[in-house]
Amino acid sequence: MSWIEQPTLDFVGSFDLSKLNIDEAFLNFTSNTSSNLWLYSLSSACYSCPYTLVSEEAFEPGVSKSLKIDTKYSTKYRFRTEGINEIANAQLTKNEYKFCDFEGDINFKEFGVYNVQMIEEDNTSKCIVTEAAAPVNIYLPLLIALFIYIALISFSFVFGTIRKHWRHCQESKGSELLVRESPHASVESMAPKIPPQAPPTTSTPPTPGMSPTLSSVSNPTSRPQRQRLKSLDTFRGISIVLMIFVNSGGGKYYFFEHAIWDGLCVADLVFPWFLWIMGVCVPISVKSQVKRGIPKLKIFKYILIRSIKLIGLGILYNTLDQPAQFGENANLRIPGVLQRFGICYFVSATLVLISMTVNFTKPGGRAVSTVILEVTKKKYFFFLQILEMKM
């Protein structure tokens, strides 16, 4: 196998490798049989599918024939002595017309050239596969990218450590120089000055007819700085980068695309990741608005408008490939990714808003949120017991 992604040779015999695209290879067939054969294939990406006819032209005895095949997914090939049906049905399962199978002995890879001989000897039939030209290493770009990322992370870590150590040394040298210049300086003068802190404020009891506050603020005009959840921002950034990479083709690697039928690929993780991020952000956002004293009706209005916007943008996005039509020949697709986001956001945010309570503590009592949480748990387990009794 070559360690570069381009073929090392332009021609292998009569095969022009420049005519091959990504995930393609040449198969050269030689039939040493007494009857015509037809080639059928079955891709591993197709779940519970029948074998399908590759070419309507038969492989005649003593005649060589070449085909260009797709190597993106592993494929099973079978030669049959009957090629009337385009899709092999129950007759293929009975092996009534089976001549030979080949797929497990050798894995066909990109830009490879392979010879397949169909041999019939002593009432036995078999297919022999040999490699005429080595394929290329399709994983080399991933290895190079991984090496570059590891090198950048290592360089950043080493540079940060050296810079931190250098600053510490400079501060130590500056302190020693200052002590030498003023030998009568006291230790207290060399100590770092700590800015005076404001005296702690105590919460005032709520007056009758007014809602209790979390804590009294010394300066009501100053707004506290919002703290970001760095772990969530990092995970969101990774999800966005992966989404862009997947939507741009994913390097034509099958594991960076969506699973065709069954299985799980990298692209299948992007949507649930964003849903999980949204589920984490919704309680934080709603709780922050409730704490600021925003009425729940106004918060619900914001949730409804945002959900409608997401659904509307998703419907508009579905009309990019072809203009929307209405009437008898309507081809407007309503479901979509953003539409599902909008529905999930509306349902989850509304439920959080209904059950959200500001986490304050009454004088001489337990936290209200703790009491509500215990009551909710009891109702939840009671509901589960009812379901178990009915089942």
Side-chain angles (χ1 to χ4, degrees), residues 102-351:
F102 62 97
E103 53 98 13
D105 297 334
I106 191 168
N107 294 323
F108 302 127
K109 299 297 182 181
E110 182 179 322
F111 297 150
V113 179
Y114 305 91
N115 294 323
V116 181
Q117 292 183 347
M118 297 83 77
I119 301 176
E120 187 177 12
E121 295 178 350
D122 300 331
N123 295 327
T124 60
S125 57
K126 59 182 179 179
C127 294
I128 301 176
V129 181
T130 57
E131 184 179 275
V136 299
N137 185 6
I138 62 175
Y139 302 107
L140 180 62
L142 292 179
L143 295 176
I144 294 176
L146 181 62
F147 175 78
I148 292 175
Y149 290 142
I150 293 176
L152 290 176
I153 294 173
S154 303
F155 175 78
S156 176
F157 176 76
V158 172
F159 179 76
T161 304
I162 295 175
R163 185 179 180 183
K164 184 178 180 180
H165 181 70
W166 180 80
R167 285 185 175 180
H168 180 70
C169 293
Q170 292 296 115
E171 292 177 358
S172 300
K173 290 180 181 180
S175 300
E176 293 177 359
L177 182 61
L178 186 59
V179 170
R180 291 176 183 177
E181 292 179 354
S182 55
H184 300 288
S186 60
V187 179
E188 290 78 2
S189 61
M190 298 298 299
K193 295 182 179 181
I194 302 176
Q197 297 182 355
T201 57
T202 57
S203 58
T204 58
T207 57
M210 296 182 61
S211 59
T213 58
L214 295 176
S215 61
S216 60
V217 183
S218 58
N219 187 8
T221 58
S222 61
R223 298 183 61 183
Q225 295 182 354
R226 293 185 179 180
Q227 295 182 355
R228 302 289 302 183
L229 192 57
K230 294 183 179 180
S231 58
L232 186 62
D233 290 339
T234 303
F235 186 66
R236 184 188 290 110
I238 294 174
S239 302
I240 292 174
V241 171
L242 184 61
M243 178 190 66
I244 296 173
F245 180 69
V246 167
N247 291 339
S248 300
K252 301 299 181 181
Y253 294 100
Y254 74 93
F255 47 81
F256 282 131
E257 298 179 356
H258 290 284
I260 295 180
W261 181 247
D262 62 334
L264 182 67
C265 295
V266 177
D268 300 320
L269 301 174
V270 176
F271 181 76
W273 282 0
F274 274 107
L275 281 181
W276 182 84
I277 293 171
M278 182 184 66
V280 174
C281 294
V282 164
I284 299 175
S285 175
V286 174
K287 187 174 183 179
S288 175
Q289 296 180 68
V290 173
K291 280 186 176 182
R292 293 200 304 266
I294 302 177
K296 287 190 175 182
L297 184 60
K298 188 175 182 180
I299 299 175
F300 176 76
K301 182 180 178 181
Y302 168 77
I303 294 173
L304 179 62
I305 293 175
R306 191 172 187 180
S307 302
I308 294 174
K309 287 181 179 179
L310 286 173
I311 296 174
L313 288 175
I315 296 175
L316 291 177
Y317 180 79
N318 290 340
T319 62
L320 291 180
D321 296 335
Q322 50 187 351
Q325 297 180 2
F326 300 93
E328 298 179 357
N329 299 324
N331 57 3
L332 179 63
R333 175 175 171 80
I334 302 299
V337 175
L338 291 178
Q339 293 89 314
R340 293 179 174 91
F341 271 119
I343 296 173
C344 293
Y345 172 75
F346 177 77
V347 174
S348 60
T350 303
L351 293 177

Side-chain angles (χ1 to χ4, degrees), residues 41-55:
S41 66
L42 174 60
S43 175
S44 61
C46 189
Y47 180 73
S48 299
C49 295
Y51 281 80
T52 56
L53 187 64
V54 176
S55 176

